[in-house]
């Protein structure tokens, strides 16, 4: 496209040499601040306005250029139109009598972010204006994985949060189950891919003996707007689960016979106690009977002795 650049600069030189300059009869009006979504169409709206003194103005030249790009994106010069792929007038049937000179970008890329200049020359005067396009891309919802995959209570573990496909550079932030932020304890890594979009990665280290049951990773865009989020729940470790399961089974296995044996022992003790009490009662009754019998014999013997002693 070197020939286009030469053509464009030759055109400007001729225009300047001809003594053309801004005049109050022609003005280009545009939306100077524009936002384009990555992968979608973007429209830079511009129109030529003339004063009431100008009737039936005819456009001779239109140029759209971008700062940092050598060749013009679009050039119309006295009936001839040249343009780069992906750029065209917003109205497909545009001609030199159409005052709508808006530029349509077919598929917005990160490279389209920046400042544009639109210049117009008519048979009644000329004007130019600076327009800015800010490209943005929405980050995909973040994902979280743990290193190692199986979390242990006896060692430190890392949670890795990733989000990509966004522009401009955003941020990943961490929150626990109580919505307390832990971003300062995390390590952030940012990489820009070949298409200009960003990949965000954040590592949060969980110290052994000091962790929550849930951690949430949230992606924020360049302006601080909140995007998608995902929550990672800390599962019981395999070792902890094993201990719980084994402990529960072992306790059940031990508890059942202990309860049975304990019940038998208690029953035997109660039976023995009852038996002893009954034995003691029987012995006491026997002694009482023996005592009463003995007392009766003594009384009988005393009576007989008394009878013998009488004359």
């Amino acid at each position: 496209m070197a020939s286009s650049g030469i053509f464009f600069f030759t055109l400007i030189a001729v225009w300047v040499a001809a003594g053309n300059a801004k005049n109050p009869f022609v003005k280009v009006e545009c939306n100077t601040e524009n936002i384009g979504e990555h992968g979608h169409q973007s429209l830079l709206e511009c129109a030529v306005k003339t004063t009431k003194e100008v009737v039936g103005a005819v456009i001779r030249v239109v140029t759209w250029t971008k700062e940092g790009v050598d060749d013009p994106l679009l050039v119309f010069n006295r009936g001839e139109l040249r343009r780069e792929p992906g750029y065209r007038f917003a109205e497909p049937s545009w001609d030199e009598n159409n005052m709508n000179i808006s530029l349509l970008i077919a598929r917005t890329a990160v490279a389209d972010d920046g400042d544009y200049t639109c210049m117009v020359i008519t048979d009644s005067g000329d004007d130019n204006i600076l327009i800015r396009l800010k490209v943005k891309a929405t980050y995909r919802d973040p994902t979280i994985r743990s290193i190692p995959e199986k979390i242990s209570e006896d060692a430190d573990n890392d949670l890795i949060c990733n989000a990509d496909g966004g522009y401009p550079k955003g941020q990943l932030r961490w929150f626990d189950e109580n919505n307390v932020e832990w971003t300062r304890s995390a390590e952030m890594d940012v990489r820009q891919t070949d298409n200009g979009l960003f990949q965000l990665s954040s590592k949060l280290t969980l110290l052994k003996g000091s962790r929550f049951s849930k951690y949430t990773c949230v992606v924020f865009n360049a302006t601080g707007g909140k995007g998608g989020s995902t929550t990672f729940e800390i599962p019981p470790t395999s070792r902890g689960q094993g201990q719980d399961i084994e402990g529960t089974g072992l306790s059940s296995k031990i508890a059942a016979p202990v309860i049975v044996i304990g019940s038998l022992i208690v029953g035997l003790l109660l039976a023995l106690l009852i038996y002893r009490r009954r034995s003691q009662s029987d012995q006491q009754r026997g002694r009482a009977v023996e005592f009463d019998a003995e007392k009766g014999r003594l009384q009988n013997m005393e009576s007989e002795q008394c009878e013998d002693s009488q004359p």
Side-chain angles (χ1 to χ4, degrees):
M1 295 300 295
S3 59
S4 297
I6 295 173
F7 168 77
F8 172 69
F9 288 113
T10 302
L11 174 65
I12 297 300
V14 172
W15 172 57
V16 173
N20 288 290
K22 287 187 177 182
N23 63 69
F25 302 109
V26 175
K27 184 174 181 61
V28 179
E29 295 183 355
C30 306
N31 291 332
T32 56
E33 296 292 333
N34 302 272
I35 296 178
E37 183 70 28
H38 184 273
H40 296 76
Q41 291 184 342
S42 292
L43 180 64
L44 305 183
E45 295 185 80
C46 288
V48 177
K49 303 292 184 180
T50 60
T51 62
K52 61 182 181 179
E53 289 82 6
V54 178
V55 179
V58 177
I59 295 176
R60 301 302 187 194
V61 177
V62 178
T63 64
W64 276 96
T65 59
K66 183 178 183 298
E67 183 178 344
V69 178
D70 294 335
D71 295 330
L73 305 176
L74 182 149
V75 175
F76 172 80
N77 181 32
R78 301 180 185 278
E80 182 181 359
L81 178 63
R82 298 185 183 185
R83 62 186 180 86
E84 293 290 319
Y87 303 89
R88 65 177 178 84
F89 282 118
E91 296 187 7
S93 59
W94 186 91
D95 61 27
E96 57 193 12
N97 296 310
N98 191 336
M99 299 295 110
N100 182 1
I101 55 173
S102 301
L103 179 69
L104 181 67
I105 302 174
R107 188 176 178 84
T108 307
V110 172
D112 294 316
D113 186 277
D115 294 330
Y116 294 75
T117 299
C118 177
M119 184 190 70
V120 176
I121 302 174
T122 73
D123 58 356
S124 302
D126 59 87
D127 193 18
N128 63 80
I129 191 171
L130 185 68
I131 305 103
R132 182 166 186 80
L133 174 65
K134 294 181 180 179
V135 176
K136 69 173 185 177
T138 303
Y139 284 92
R140 299 183 182 91
D141 288 344
T143 59
I144 300 178
R145 59 188 175 90
S146 62
I147 299 178
E149 183 177 356
K150 188 175 182 180
I151 293 180
S152 172
E153 293 181 348
D154 300 327
D156 295 346
N157 300 270
D158 294 329
L159 295 183
I160 308 297
C161 179
N162 294 307
D164 58 11
Y167 184 87
K169 183 176 71 174
Q171 184 186 25
L172 294 173
R173 295 165 64 178
W174 291 93
F175 300 87
D176 64 24
E177 61 194 67
N178 300 313
N179 205 33
V180 176
E181 187 167 357
W182 290 87
T183 306
R184 291 185 178 181
S185 301
E187 297 178 11
M188 183 84 168
D189 181 63
V190 180
R191 298 182 183 181
Q192 196 166 16
T193 59
D194 293 338
N195 60 6
L197 300 179
F198 285 97
Q199 293 179 337
L200 309 179
S201 180
S202 180
K203 181 178 74 172
L204 179 66
T205 299
L206 308 181
L207 302 178
K208 61 180 180 180
S210 177
R211 60 189 61 170
F212 294 89
S213 61
K214 295 180 181 179
Y215 289 89
T216 300
C217 180
V218 184
V219 60
F220 288 81
N221 60 31
T223 60
K226 184 178 180 180
S229 65
T230 187
T231 298
F232 187 90
E233 295 190 13
I234 305 296
T237 62
S238 298
R239 180 176 178 182
Q241 289 178 339
Q243 288 177 340
D244 291 341
I245 294 173
E246 293 176 2
T248 302
L250 182 61
S251 298
S252 300
K253 292 178 181 179
I254 294 175
V258 167
I259 292 173
V260 173
I261 294 172
S263 300
L264 291 175
I265 292 174
V266 171
L268 291 172
L269 290 175
L270 289 174
L272 181 60
L273 180 62
I274 293 171
Y275 174 76
R276 290 185 63 182
R277 287 185 177 178
R278 287 181 177 177
S279 298
Q280 290 176 355
S281 298
D282 292 342
Q283 290 177 0
Q284 289 176 355
R285 291 194 191 97
R287 290 175 181 174
V289 170
E290 291 177 356
F291 177 77
D292 291 339
E294 184 66 25
K295 184 178 180 181
R297 285 196 294 270
L298 291 174
Q299 289 178 350
N300 291 332
M301 291 176 64
E302 290 178 355
S303 298
E304 291 177 358
Q305 290 176 0
C306 289
E307 289 178 356
D308 294 337
S309 62
Q310 290 179 356

